[in-house]
Amino acid sequence: MTRAKLRDMVLASPLRSRVRQLTATSIGNVVEWYDWLTYAFLSTYFADQVIPASNHAASLLGTFAVFAVGFVMRPVGGLVIGLISDRYGRRTAMTLTILLMGIGQLMMVVLPTYEQVGLLSPILLVVSRLVQGFSVGGEFAVSSVFLVESATPGRRGLYSSMSYFSSNLGQLLASGIAALFSNLLSRADMLSWGWRMPFLIGAVTCLSGLWIRSGTHETYALAEAIKQGRAERPRMWDFLRHHPRESLLVVGMTIGATVSFYTWSVYLPSYAETTAGTDPAQSLLATTIALAFFTVIQPVGGLLSDRIGRKPMLVVFGIGFTLLTVPLLSLLDRSFWSLLWISCVAMLLLTGYTAVCSAVMSELFPAKVRTAGLGMPYSATVALFGGTAPYVATAFIDAGHTALFGWYATLLMLISTLVYIGMRETKDVVLEVAGAEA
């Protein structure tokens, strides 16, 4: 028996094939999001070295501005990598995203300080974030589509939840490793060299993710038909030209959700430190525990959506944050336990969105434009609202109007809630997969 036949037999096994697909997507997604969010968790340590200013708050504001700049490339990545996915296949696109992320991480490892090279230091920081932003912009779309297209009948919600389950694992690792280094090393060591080590870990793990993804089973058979000239190649803006309503729905779904996600799962340690005087190491520890809880309940949310539908989950999420964002933020104090329980409540509400959004958005578009149709509108909205959330919050604090950020997040959440209420249920939609239906 030849090696090729043996490989085909292995891939023909439904269980082995599903495990292979889930593992490849999840591991790559873990690496992608670990790399992306390590920056946010460690910015308080390298801010003064790369963007020196009159005070630490101003330096931190500068690093969050660069964080937002990285989001500028997310729509570009969503569009370009989405088009690559819809033309050449999901596996090709996923391999590209993780390769680019590894390059961006390596740049952070060797990033010189402002004292060493002057203005070149913040310039290189921006370049690194642009590379990572391009990669992450395509990652969410192609991995989400890949998971949903790999799903068994009646389990698209469960498979969809694996997207945030794996990205949460990456975020959990980023938070956990940042907390570990922060607690094991002195502050002087963290400021000197310790903050670089988590980025090094990310660069090395990108190699494993690259190897695993290169061996996945392609879900998009239409790519071969396009290559052979038996199917028309999708053009860059076909998703918007033929599906404008669906594209706007993605935007509406994401506006409030992305601000809530980045506020409660990424920026909260810095927000608590700045507004309530919480110890940074304690904030990171509380966030890590809450993220572990958040990760565990993702599959539960996905299974629940396969039973009761996507819309009820989204509506509960939207109403919950519309009513509770301001009260929860106002309850933050210096206590570790206060930060922990507030974070866990927020994570429970967030699951109503994160467990189902990949499925809902994928169910809106036909296979030929699915990745670009999901990727570009989603990434553009995340760039405009999610990427700027830490900057907006820090700017409000710096201006002496701390409470205004909660109302800003509430207003955006209200917009998304109205979209959820007006949406149709997509749970029972027949999903077109590469010219077929599933």
Side-chain angles (χ1 to χ4, degrees), residues 320-386:
F321 272 118
T322 299
L323 297 178
L324 295 177
T325 295
V326 172
L328 287 176
L329 287 177
S330 66
L331 289 172
L332 286 172
D333 58 34
R334 295 174 61 91
S335 167
F336 166 83
W337 296 107
S338 171
L339 179 59
L340 179 60
W341 80 259
I342 289 172
S343 296
C344 287
V345 170
M347 297 304 178
L348 184 63
L349 286 173
L350 272 173
T351 301
Y353 170 81
T354 56
V356 305
C357 65
S358 294
V360 175
M361 294 178 190
S362 295
E363 289 160 352
L364 292 175
F365 296 93
K368 194 172 182 179
V369 295
R370 183 169 293 139
T371 319
L374 190 165
M376 203 284 176
Y378 173 86
S379 295
T381 309
V382 170
L384 186 58
F385 295 98

Side-chain angles (χ1 to χ4, degrees), residues 1-16:
M1 181 181 296
T2 66
R3 184 177 297 179
K5 288 184 178 180
L6 180 61
R7 180 195 62 198
D8 291 341
M9 288 179 61
V10 171
L11 290 176
S13 168
L15 178 59
R16 287 177 180 265

